[in-house]
Every structure is written in structure tokens, then in C-alpha cells.
Amino acid sequence: MIELRGIRKSFGQKEVLKGVDLVIPTGSTTCVIGKSGSGKSVLLKHIVGLLHADAGTVLIDGKDVDQISRKDLFDLRRRIGYVFQGAALFDSLSVFDNVVISLVEHGERSETVLESEARRVLSSVGLLPDLTEEGSPLFAREYQILRNKKPSDLSGGMRKRVGVARALVGSPDYIFYDEPTTGLDPVTSQQIDDLIGDLASKLKVTSLVITHDMFSIFNIADHVAMLVDGVVRFQGDVPALRECADEEVVDFLSRYVAEGF
Ligand SMILES: Nc1ncnc2c1ncn2[C@@H]1O[C@H](COP(=O)(O)OP(=O)(O)O)[C@@H](O)[C@H]1O
Ligand SMILES: [Mg+2]
């Protein structure tokens, strides 16, 4: 379980997080919603240790991330897969090199290990046939074609899948997605939502999804937290979100309600 207690963060004079309390239950898919600029990405970066809070604590499975040794922090990072906002693939690198980059950076040199991990994660995100077909000529052919492609050869939806595949390397317990459907058309967005849901149930990962897409929330969330003015203004399940009478929450939801939700 991940627990944030009283997280505060300022940049210069601007206080972005003003005491955020949030619980991400193990096995759940938690969506964090909020307006653009409300501090959602900043919040995520505190959990993975890319930013440090001015006050408050981040506990992952009971351990305070600011109190643990470098080695434990390193191990902890490996348990978290992070799909960056915009998927952020390296354009000059092949799909294969993009996917295995963290393993290579951590010193893995065995081609057998790298290739087999790439096949596994690319299959998990649906860019290759099921792994049970791994020995087949079709699987081998599709893998050879895909592994050598560059991000520019792929559609937006495929690029997102490669970004998700990269996050799955090393079989993390947690996956964090920062706006995974932003910039995608509705059909592709739905496919990425389905993928997030599939991975959560198949791989039993705990997922945290930052989004401002209400369709995604109704599709995938077990648990929703809404960030308003630097604090968590609402936290609960989707039925509770629909019932919530808080003015800010109602205002945020209203444009989607108008579209049939
Ligand atoms: N490294 C940084 N330095 C200064 N300001 C930052 C930094 N990162 C984010 N901010 C500011 O914090 C606020 C929240 O940003 P962010 O978390 O990216 O919002 P969003 O909810 O859209 O993800 C914004 O005003 C942004 O400009
Ligand atoms: Mg953001």
C-alpha cells in the first residue's frame, strides 16, 4: 500500500501541494484527477522519489521513502513502473532499445535476457501475439519487425503501448501512468484504458492513473482522488464520485454529465 501523509511542496513562492493525504490500496486502480496545473504530476514524482516534499511523508509498504537507504530506494524504484506523460520514447532508438533501456542502465548485458524480456513485455501490451505462441514462426517474425522499428514508424496508440511495455520491464508491483490517454482519439483511448484494466487484473499490479479524462475514470477506477487547490478534495469509489455534492467536484464532472455520463 502507498500512503501519502500531509505532503507539502512549493516551487519558489508558489505552494503547489498544501498537505496531500492519499491512500493507494494494494491491488486497486486509483485515478487522480484534477485540473491542468493542479499538481498531479508533481504528486506522482514524490511517490517515485524524483521530488522531495517540503513536509509530510510518503510510505510505501510502510517504509518512509525519505528515510530508507540508497540501496532500498533503488530496489523500491525497481518495483514501480512509470509511464511518463506523453510516453516520452527516444526517437532515435529502436522499439527494442527503448523497452530495455532501464535494464541496460542497470548493467544487464545478456542478450538472451534482454530479448526475452522485450518479447514478454511487448506481448503483455498486445503488440505481439500471446506469449504461449513465443516459439512459433509467426511470433518470431512479428517480433523481428517490431523490435527494429523506430517510434516514428508507429501510431500514437502503439507508441503508448511501447511506453507501457517499458514500464513493465522487471515485473513491477506498481505501475504509474501519467495522462496515458491525453492526445489520443476516443477509440485509441478506450483501447489504452482496456490495456490498463487488463494489466491490473492479469499481472495483479497496483495502478495509479493520472488523468483528466472522465471516460477513463468510469472505465477503470476502483478508487478516485481529486486534487483541488493543493489538497485532496474528494477520495472514494466511482459511485461516491457521482453522488458527491462538493461544488468543485460537481463543476469538474458537469461537462461530462452533459455528454451522457
Ligand atoms: N520542477 C518545477 N519547478 C517549478 N515549478 C514546477 C515544477 N514542476 C511543476 N511545477 C509547477 O507546479 C504546478 C503543478 O504542475 P503539474 O504537477 O505538472 O500539474 P498537472 O496537474 O497538470 O500535472 C504548475 O504550476 C507547474 O508549473
Ligand atoms: Mg501533469
Side-chain angles (χ1 to χ4, degrees):
M1 184 172 85
I2 297 175
E3 203 178 342
L4 309 186
R5 291 187 190 153
I7 299 294
R8 287 180 171 271
K9 182 69 176 179
S10 298
F11 295 107
Q13 296 296 310
K14 188 171 180 187
E15 194 173 31
V16 177
L17 303 178
K18 301 176 184 171
V20 170
D21 297 311
L22 175 67
V23 171
I24 301 162
T26 299
S28 71
T29 295
T30 298
C31 284
V32 174
I33 59 178
K35 289 183 185 147
S36 184
S38 59
K40 304 182 295 299
S41 296
V42 166
L43 187 64
L44 199 78
K45 286 174 186 163
H46 281 84
I47 307 176
V48 291
L50 290 173
L51 284 175
H52 293 282
D54 300 333
T57 45
V58 177
L59 299 166
I60 301 187
D61 297 338
K63 282 188 185 167
D64 181 339
V65 297
D66 278 334
Q67 299 292 324
I68 61 181
S69 66
R70 273 181 165 274
K71 155 124 191 13
D72 283 349
L73 185 62
F74 183 77
D75 289 343
L76 195 68
R77 288 248 182 92
R78 291 177 68 119
R79 294 180 49 216
I80 300 175
Y82 189 175
V83 183
F84 294 92
Q85 192 160 0
L89 300 177
F90 297 99
D91 291 334
S92 60
L93 298 184
S94 66
V95 166
F96 171 78
D97 288 327
N98 264 290
V99 163
V100 300
I101 194 161
S102 68
L103 286 178
V104 173
E105 280 177 351
H106 289 131
E108 182 60 65
R109 293 290 177 266
S110 158
E111 285 207 8
T112 320
V113 170
L114 296 174
E115 298 282 347
S116 103
E117 187 67 351
R119 286 195 296 270
R120 185 183 71 80
V121 295
L122 290 166
S123 169
S124 292
V125 299
L127 288 172
L128 289 175
D130 195 89
L131 210 58
T132 54
E133 311 285 320
E134 198 178 3
S136 75
L138 174 75
F139 190 108
R141 198 163 56 240
E142 290 199 11
Y143 175 59
Q144 275 311 312
I145 296 169
L146 178 65
R147 84 181 283 299
N148 297 319
K149 284 196 169 162
K150 292 280 169 60
S152 56
D153 301 326
L154 305 174
S155 67
M158 289 173 85
R159 282 201 290 274
K160 293 278 177 181
R161 283 177 197 267
V162 173
V164 177
R166 178 170 59 190
L168 292 176
V169 163
S171 304
D173 302 321
Y174 298 95
I175 304 187
F176 297 165
Y177 303 86
D178 196 346
E179 307 228 4
T181 62
T182 296
L184 298 178
D185 63 77
V187 172
T188 312
S189 293
Q190 171 82 55
Q191 288 166 348
I192 297 295
D193 285 344
D194 290 346
L195 174 66
I196 293 170
D198 276 359
L199 292 175
S201 59
K202 263 196 258 165
L203 306 179
K204 309 269 180 289
V205 288
T206 298
S207 309
L208 178 65
V209 185
I210 292 182
T211 183
H212 55 238
D213 184 343
M214 292 306 298
F215 292 95
S216 294
I217 294 156
F218 293 129
N219 277 337
I220 59 178
D222 302 311
H223 188 73
V224 183
M226 183 167 174
L227 212 52
V228 179
D229 296 333
V231 297
V232 172
R233 184 73 166 249
F234 168 86
Q235 195 167 175
D237 61 11
V238 172
L241 178 70
R242 288 176 193 267
E243 296 298 314
C244 183
D246 184 295
E247 211 174 289
E248 287 280 352
V249 178
V250 171
D251 187 47
F252 192 86
L253 298 185
S254 58
R255 49 202 167 114
Y256 300 95
V257 173
E259 290 168 23
F261 282 87

